[in-house]
Amino acid sequence: MENFSFAGITASVILDKRRHKQNLLYPIKYRITYLQKQVYYPCMDLTVEDWESLPTTRKKELLKTRSAIQTGFKKITEIIVELVNNNGFTFDVLHKMLSRGTEDSIIDAFDYKIEKLKKEKHIGSSVWYSCALNSIKKFENKGLKFADITPDWLKKYETHLLDEGKTYTTISMYMRALRAIINDAKTDGIISQAQYPFVLNSNGRYQIPEGTGRKLALTSSQLIDVFNYPIIPQEEIWRDLWVFSFYCNGINLNDLLRLKFKNIIDGEIVWFRQKTINQ
C-alpha cells in the first residue's frame, strides 16, 4: 500500500499472512530494508479482505485505518531521512527513536526512560524522572524537541524554577535528570556534540547549579536518646530499623530490606547498593 526508497533504504507496509492471531486477524507491519537486512515494526491487525480493499475503500472505519497506517509510515520515513542527513542511518538508532516517539520529543524520551526504569524495578529513579518531567511540562509542553534545549532555554527554565520558590538543590535534581535524557540522545546519535547544551569545560554552555543542604550530625547524647526513647512494642521495629541502618554505615531502606543471611560473610555484612549496582 505504501512504498519508500531513500539512500539505499526501502520501507513498505505489508500484511503478514504467515500466521493469523487468535482473533483471526493478520498483523500489518512496517518493513524496513537496509543492506539486505529486514526489520519489521508492528502497526495493527486486519482481515485479508479488509487489507485488500484498503486502497479503494469508502467505508468510514477503513478510511480511518488507512489514514492511521499512512500517518505512522510517514513518521517512520521522516526519521529515516533525518538520520541519513545527520549522523547516518542505523537500525539501532531508528529503533530507539521509534521507541521514544517519532517526533524527536523530550517528553517522549522522558516517558521512555521512566517506563524502562519501572521495568527494571528502579522505582526511586523513575519517581525522580517523573518529578522532573512534570516540572518541565509545567514550564513548556508544546512539542518540546531536543533541538529546543539550548543554554538560553535552560537559563529561562532555571529562572522559572526560582520564581516558583524552588531551591537550588531541587533545580540541580531536575537539571541532572534532563541532562541524563540528553546524554542518552547524544549517545544514540539523535543530537550532535554541537547541539549539546550543558557545560563540559569552560565553554559558555549552561552549568547546572550545585545544590547545598544543611548536613546536621547528631551528637552522642542525642543518639543515646534515640536508642532509648520509650516506644510502644508495636512500633519498636521502626526504631530498630533506624538503629540497624545507623550501625551499617547508613544503609538505605531499599538495600536494608533486601538483606539475607547469605549477606553475612566472614562475620561482616556485605551488600551491593541497588542504586549503583549497574555502575
Side-chain angles (χ1 to χ4, degrees):
M1 186 177 73
E2 298 287 336
N3 291 286
F4 167 88
S5 179
F6 182 73
I9 306 162
T10 61
S12 58
V13 184
I14 61 116
L15 184 71
D16 189 348
K17 299 180 182 179
R18 291 175 297 178
R19 189 180 301 109
H20 63 69
K21 297 185 177 181
Q22 289 184 344
N23 56 9
L24 302 182
L25 301 180
Y26 292 87
I28 298 173
K29 296 180 180 179
Y30 300 116
R31 181 174 62 196
I32 316 299
T33 305
Y34 179 58
L35 297 178
Q36 298 184 331
K37 178 181 179 180
Q38 291 184 332
V39 174
Y40 296 84
Y41 294 96
C43 179
M44 59 181 66
D45 303 328
L46 274 184
T47 64
V48 174
E49 292 76 15
D50 284 342
W51 166 258
E52 291 175 347
S53 67
L54 211 54
T56 58
T57 186
R58 294 185 178 180
K59 295 181 179 179
K60 186 176 181 180
E61 288 303 314
L62 286 181
L63 287 173
K64 290 181 180 179
T65 298
R66 186 174 70 189
S67 177
I69 295 171
Q70 291 171 335
T71 298
F73 188 76
K74 181 174 182 290
K75 289 180 178 179
I76 290 176
T77 57
E78 286 175 349
I79 290 176
I80 292 173
V81 172
E82 180 183 347
L83 291 177
V84 171
N85 290 335
N86 291 324
N87 299 313
F89 175 87
T90 68
F91 279 114
D92 286 341
V93 178
L94 175 64
H95 177 67
K96 288 172 181 176
M97 291 189 71
L98 289 174
S99 298
R100 294 175 180 179
T102 55
E103 297 181 357
D104 189 21
S105 166
I106 289 287
I107 306 302
D108 286 350
F110 263 100
D111 288 336
Y112 173 84
K113 184 80 170 182
I114 292 165
E115 288 305 312
K116 183 173 182 289
L117 289 168
K118 287 180 178 178
K119 289 178 181 177
E120 294 173 352
K121 307 300 181 184
H122 297 307
I123 305 303
S125 295
S126 72
V127 172
W128 168 37
Y129 279 91
S130 295
C131 290
L133 174 58
N134 291 335
S135 173
I136 291 170
K137 283 182 176 180
K138 190 174 180 181
F139 175 61
E140 184 173 350
N141 189 27
K142 296 181 179 179
L144 190 62
K145 298 183 179 182
F146 283 102
D148 298 325
I149 309 300
T150 63
D152 285 341
W153 186 95
L154 292 167
K155 292 173 185 175
K156 290 177 182 177
Y157 177 45
E158 178 183 325
T159 301
H160 162 76
L161 293 175
L162 288 171
D163 290 342
E164 284 191 328
K166 297 292 191 296
T167 66
Y168 275 108
T169 298
T170 300
I171 294 171
S172 175
M173 290 177 61
Y174 291 170
M175 290 296 189
R176 284 188 288 112
L178 178 56
R179 183 178 62 186
I181 293 293
I182 292 177
N183 284 344
D184 287 343
K186 182 172 174 290
T187 300
D188 296 340
I190 297 173
I191 65 169
S192 66
Q193 178 60 50
Q195 295 174 292
Y196 191 72
F198 291 95
V199 66
L200 297 176
N201 297 305
S202 180
N203 57 9
R205 300 180 186 180
Y206 178 81
Q207 185 164 7
I208 296 175
E210 292 294 331
T212 57
R214 297 176 65 208
K215 296 182 179 180
L216 303 178
L218 297 178
T219 65
S220 297
S221 61
Q222 288 174 326
L223 285 170
I224 296 299
D225 289 340
V226 172
F227 296 165
N228 296 328
Y229 191 82
I231 299 177
I232 61 174
Q234 297 92 322
E235 296 182 355
E236 286 183 351
I237 184 175
W238 310 119
R239 189 266 317 278
D240 294 344
L241 285 172
W242 188 91
V243 172
F244 186 82
S245 171
F246 173 81
Y247 280 120
C248 285
N249 292 329
I251 182 174
N252 65 47
L253 285 177
N254 186 13
D255 295 319
L256 189 155
L257 296 174
R258 294 172 184 269
L259 292 180
K260 302 180 184 297
F261 283 108
K262 67 182 181 181
N263 291 106
I264 302 174
I265 302 175
D266 295 331
E268 295 182 331
I269 300 174
V270 181
W271 74 92
F272 291 98
R273 292 187 69 201
Q274 290 297 314
K275 182 177 180 179
T276 56
I277 195 169
N278 293 326
Q279 300 175 18

